[in-house]
Amino acid sequence: MIDFIFNPSSIAVVGASQEEKKVGNAVLKNLINGYTGKIYPVNPGRTEILSLPCYPSVSAIPDRVDLAIIVIPAKAVADSLKDCAKAGVKGVVVITAGFKEVGGDGVAREKEIVEIVRSAGIKMVGPNCLGVMNTKNKMNASFAAELPPEGRVAFFSQSGALGVAIIDWAIENNFGFSKFVSFGNKADLNETDFLEYFAKDPDTDVILGYIEDVIDGKRFIEIAKEVTKIKPVILIKSGATEAGARAASSHTGALAGSDRAFTEAFRKTGIIRTSGIQELFDTAEMFISRKTPKGRKLLIITNAGGPGIIAADTADRLGIKLDPMTRTSIDTIAEKLPSTASLYNPVDIIGDATSERYKIVLDQAIKDNSVEGICVILTPQAVTDVDNIADVVISSANNTDKPVFATFIGGQRVRNAINKLKGFRIPCFTDPSIAIHAYRKLVDFVQLKSKEISDELQIKIPEQNIEEVKKIIQSLQSQGVSEIGGEEAMQILSIYGFSFPERALAKTPMEAVAIAERIGYPVVMKVSSPHILHKTDVGGVKLNLNNDKAVYNAFVEITTNVKRVMPDAYIEGIMIYEMVTGGKEVIFGVSYDRTFGHMIMFGLGGIYVEVLKDVSFRIVPVSEQEALEMITEIKGSKILDGVRGEKPYDKTDIANCIRKLSKLVMDFPIIKEIDINPYMVFNNGGIGLDARIII
């Protein structure tokens, strides 16, 4: 555990200063102004700073130091850390910049300080960071000007500057934090360490964060899966565009990207992703009450038609169900509301509604088993007793396990009521659309949390099959082959349970004719060459050949085309394939992400993948449930159900193919990319028509 980072009994400030414009002065003042533990300024040039005795080094301090905050020039940090190790310091926060982020010598400096702290068993935050905060013990071990309000939301940030802005925002908006950490270069402690810590922190209910990358993707997924079972984790991940992404040599590689991998990692672990700071805090607001709905149903209560319609439109777009209350409930409130009120959903209690009308509907909604969540909308009209309505909402929320949240729209007239609601941990918003979006994330979290992933993640492959593939790959590697096309790719995939058409290699036109007649017309012909992966691009493919003359001419034409376009390419011969007709064309693929490892891709073939990029991904290992989800989430999934009288296509076969690929790359991590394109799926089973593997 790293509790000594947030709850130290004593803190040394290495680089403490008397000069007001120095960071060492700001950090020391911040600690003096709230933290009640022992504080030791460290500066060899002073004997006293801000009325505290000052020491020349940490090891000169007569008492044990739990945490050292280091704010000295980068070149001096290593020696200071050695001194901390000598003094038995448990943790350090290196605020100092000038390490990996500046390149050059900074990289070496960072490597050196990491070796020092790890060999000494010290846990380090930073370098190049803002610092850490704990609002409960009033510890501001940073150079941010103020502590945010006390609350039950923990926040970690890779960016110190963003952290300063967020703290300022939290103070302005009275948004409470339990703990805050900016970890900068995260040379030692990183996002996964703090996720693990905050999950066990009794003062934290919700975990927020801003990250730019992840240090160890496998460990991140493993820990995050466990954390989200306990507490919601809501993150901003920056760097969403593919600018500067690696070049890819397959369909799958081109469609995948680092941001896609993060999206899938968050999905796999149950992390909620937001796109900006405001959305991050709006989402956190919804989770603060710690109440969750049993399903997707929501009741909207409003005193204004327009905002009610905005909320209803947003809910409908997001798949939130606006079912009416039961007939009994509707009859009960009808007796007490004006005849002009709308009794269904939204329940519009009309502009002259007071707290009494809100109470009538809220009391009934709490009793009604068909209501799973309640949104209370208010606009401050002439007779609206805003503060009393806030009291009614608070009372109702305290009497139910259902999530109750408010949207109080306006300015000065609603400000006090909003503060009152937030004081009782009632989520409160000023825009109905934002409120419903936040509620949808709460619904998503509940569904992810309740999802049971089968322990049986992998399809069983006989050990002798695995050994057979191992020999093939080792043989290809010994020949310097990294791009495996045609027969070898199909052979590897066949061993793992994929089906391919009957086929054979022809070395001459006459041999091609003989093979075609044995297989049966029509046939497909493709050039076979270790130097050619994109066969169509060099005129190396001919389809639907129906007689011996067509096959003979195709052999000549293909070899001529290839020699003209790629004269140096070695041509093994021409592959003759059984022509597969019928079925629906789909694509399977594998790509490798440097953070999270292998991802499996699925999509419909042809225009759907080439133009529309209608594909789904999952990070390996892929369970049966995840494989089935991949099929249903593409936009064209309904085509596989059968349209215009067609029978449905075999989704079980598709899911099995996804899981076979997952197993293959787990057994052979050296595989970087795979394309099976196209794969023809039928009403029963399927067959691959072409495949490529990159190792």
Side-chain angles (χ1 to χ4, degrees):
M1 282 293 277
I2 51 174
D3 193 55
F4 48 81
I5 299 287
F6 295 98
N7 289 294
S9 59
S10 55
I11 301 175
V13 180
V14 181
S17 175
Q18 190 75 32
E19 297 179 39
E20 289 203 358
K21 292 186 178 180
K22 291 202 170 180
V23 174
N25 178 269
V27 172
L28 186 59
K29 272 186 179 175
N30 285 342
L31 289 170
I32 291 169
N33 289 337
Y35 173 69
T36 55
K38 296 176 182 177
I39 304 170
Y40 301 104
V42 174
N43 186 328
R46 307 278 305 190
T47 57
E48 181 184 291
I49 298 177
L50 300 179
S51 301
L52 291 173
C54 187
Y55 297 87
S57 64
V58 175
S59 58
I61 298 169
D63 300 318
R64 184 179 177 89
V65 173
D66 282 345
L67 182 68
I69 314 299
I70 297 179
V71 284
I72 56 177
K75 290 180 180 178
V77 170
D79 287 340
S80 178
L81 289 173
K82 290 174 185 174
D83 184 57
C84 288
K86 180 181 174 184
V89 172
K90 296 178 183 177
V92 294
V93 179
V94 181
I95 290 175
T96 305
F99 292 90
K100 181 176 66 178
E101 80 281 0
V102 300
D105 292 343
V107 177
R109 277 197 292 270
E110 185 161 313
K111 185 179 179 183
E112 182 186 8
I113 66 170
V114 169
E115 288 172 355
I116 292 167
V117 296
R118 289 188 176 167
S119 63
I122 296 171
K123 295 297 182 182
M124 177 174 71
V125 180
N128 182 35
C129 70
L130 176 66
V132 299
M133 298 179 177
N134 182 350
T135 60
K136 188 157 190 179
N137 64 10
K138 308 301 179 190
M139 182 189 81
N140 182 0
S142 79
F143 60 93
E146 296 178 68
L147 271 174
E150 186 174 346
R152 300 193 60 81
V153 177
F155 189 92
F156 60 79
S157 176
Q158 197 166 338
S159 165
L162 180 66
V164 171
I166 282 170
I167 290 164
D168 193 51
W169 181 93
I171 294 167
E172 172 70 21
N173 291 273
N174 196 31
F175 189 96
F177 284 127
S178 55
K179 294 177 176 67
F180 172 92
V181 56
S182 151
F183 43 67
N185 293 7
K186 52 184 182 179
D188 183 34
L189 294 174
N190 58 48
E191 57 285 321
T192 309
D193 298 306
F194 291 109
L195 271 180
E196 192 171 30
Y197 173 75
F198 291 142
K200 298 171 184 174
D201 179 25
D203 301 325
T204 296
D205 294 332
V206 182
I207 303 168
L208 306 185
Y210 166 83
I211 58 172
E212 294 163 6
D213 60 7
V214 161
I215 295 294
D216 181 343
K218 298 291 185 186
R219 179 171 174 254
F220 178 85
I221 286 176
E222 180 185 335
I223 297 297
K225 270 185 180 178
E226 296 306 312
V227 174
T228 56
K229 292 175 185 175
I230 306 166
K231 298 174 184 178
V233 178
I234 309 165
L235 300 183
I236 300 175
K237 161 63 178 73
S238 64
T241 65
E242 294 306 319
R246 72 190 182 339
S249 51
S250 72
H251 277 298
T252 310
L255 290 164
S258 63
D259 191 62
R260 189 75 184 242
F262 271 93
T263 297
E264 296 310 323
F266 289 177
R267 187 208 304 267
K268 199 172 189 76
T269 56
I271 289 172
I272 299 156
R273 184 174 187 176
T274 62
S275 57
I277 296 168
Q278 189 63 53
E279 186 186 3
L280 180 78
F281 285 103
D282 288 334
T283 304
E285 180 79 24
M286 185 60 74
F287 282 83
I288 282 174
S289 71
R290 299 180 69 185
K291 294 179 181 179
T292 54
K294 292 179 180 177
R296 304 174 76 87
K297 296 178 184 176
L298 177 69
L299 183 74
I300 298 169
I301 307 168
T302 181
N303 71 341
I309 293 168
I310 291 170
D313 284 347
T314 306
D316 189 57
R317 283 195 298 271
L318 297 177
I320 303 296
K321 294 182 179 179
L322 299 183
D323 294 354
M325 288 191 284
T326 61
R327 172 48 60 185
T328 301
S329 292
I330 290 171
D331 290 343
T332 301
I333 65 172
E335 294 174 2
K336 302 172 184 177
L337 295 179
S339 59
T340 50
S342 176
L343 305 177
Y344 293 90
N345 196 3
V347 178
D348 188 345
I349 55 177
I350 312 304
D352 62 350
T354 62
S355 55
E356 184 181 351
R357 281 189 207 162
Y358 277 97
K359 187 176 188 305
I360 289 166
V361 183
L362 277 164
D363 286 349
Q364 196 60 42
I366 287 168
K367 298 174 191 173
D368 194 316
N369 289 332
S370 70
V371 175
E372 295 170 337
I374 304 168
C375 172
V376 181
I377 298 175
L378 174 147
T379 59
Q381 301 178 47
V383 297
T384 309
D385 52 338
V386 179
D387 283 7
N388 290 340
I389 293 168
D391 290 335
V392 167
V393 174
I394 291 165
S395 175
S396 298
N398 288 338
N399 289 324
T400 183
D401 292 331
K402 300 173 184 179
V404 178
F405 60 99
T407 303
F408 279 28
I409 306 167
Q412 186 176 347
R413 284 197 60 200
V414 298
R415 188 171 296 126
N416 185 63
I418 289 172
N419 290 335
K420 186 185 289 189
L421 288 162
K422 289 187 175 184
F424 282 87
R425 298 176 69 184
I426 310 295
C428 192
F429 305 85
T430 57
D431 182 321
S433 177
I434 289 172
I436 301 299
H437 270 94
Y439 185 73
R440 170 57 197 262
K441 292 193 183 295
L442 182 65
V443 170
D444 289 346
F445 174 74
V446 173
Q447 291 180 332
L448 283 167
K449 196 174 179 183
S450 63
K451 189 187 295 182
E452 291 295 331
I453 300 295
S454 168
D455 291 334
E456 186 58 49
L457 290 172
Q458 298 178 42
I459 279 182
K460 297 293 183 184
I461 301 293
E463 193 61 37
Q464 62 266 29
N465 291 33
I466 297 172
E467 284 300 314
E468 193 176 346
V469 170
K470 185 177 180 181
K471 289 176 184 175
I472 294 169
I473 290 178
Q474 285 177 342
S475 173
L476 290 166
Q477 283 183 286
S478 68
Q479 299 169 49
V481 175
S482 61
E483 297 182 345
I484 308 168
E487 185 58 29
E488 287 99 343
M490 290 184 189
Q491 186 182 1
I492 290 168
L493 291 162
S494 296
I495 295 167
Y496 266 71
F498 283 88
S499 297
F500 290 93
E502 186 178 349
R503 60 200 182 274
L505 180 68
K507 300 273 190 178
T508 67
M510 290 307 296
E511 193 176 355
V513 171
I515 292 169
E517 290 183 346
R518 177 171 57 79
I519 290 174
Y521 295 107
V523 295
V524 174
M525 297 175 65
K526 298 181 182 180
V527 65
S528 177
S529 168
H531 303 124
I532 302 169
L533 282 178
H534 300 282
K535 300 175 181 67
T536 306
D537 294 349
V538 296
V541 178
K542 293 292 180 183
L543 306 174
N544 203 23
L545 303 167
N546 286 297
N547 53 60
D548 56 354
K549 184 178 180 181
V551 169
Y552 190 101
N553 291 339
F555 189 103
V556 174
E557 190 175 340
I558 288 173
T559 52
T560 303
N561 288 343
V562 173
K563 286 175 180 176
R564 185 180 69 252
V565 178
M566 294 183 68
D568 296 330
Y570 170 64
I571 301 174
E572 295 172 332
I574 307 297
M575 289 297 298
I576 316 299
Y577 296 90
E578 166 194 1
M579 179 87 177
V580 177
T581 57
K584 191 64 65 180
E585 198 174 298
V586 301
I587 179 173
F588 298 106
V590 172
S591 62
Y592 184 81
D593 179 78
R594 65 181 183 180
T595 302
F596 298 108
H598 290 95
M599 294 196 297
I600 309 296
M601 183 197 78
F602 166 73
L604 294 181
I607 187 174
Y608 295 97
V609 66
E610 297 284 356
V611 179
L612 303 179
K613 298 181 175 25
D614 183 20
V615 293
S616 58
F617 284 85
R618 286 295 185 281
I619 291 171
V620 168
V622 182
S623 69
E624 183 179 9
Q625 180 180 325
E626 288 176 306
L628 291 168
E629 286 172 356
M630 288 177 71
I631 301 167
T632 57
E633 75 185 37
I634 63 169
K635 296 182 181 70
S637 65
K638 292 191 182 300
I639 292 172
L640 296 171
D641 294 329
V643 294
R644 295 185 178 178
E646 290 180 339
K647 290 181 180 179
Y649 296 92
D650 193 343
K651 290 184 179 179
T652 300
D653 178 67
I654 294 172
N656 285 339
C657 288
I658 290 168
R659 296 177 69 210
K660 288 170 191 172
L661 285 175
S662 176
K663 172 66 172 161
L664 175 58
V665 296
M666 288 183 74
D667 290 342
F668 297 95
I670 193 171
I671 293 173
K672 182 183 176 186
E673 294 179 13
I674 299 175
D675 270 350
I676 304 174
N677 181 30
Y679 181 93
M680 301 303 293
V681 61
F682 305 107
N683 309 124
N684 184 18
I687 188 166
L689 302 187
D690 200 3
R692 296 189 295 121
I693 298 175
I694 298 171
I695 57 173

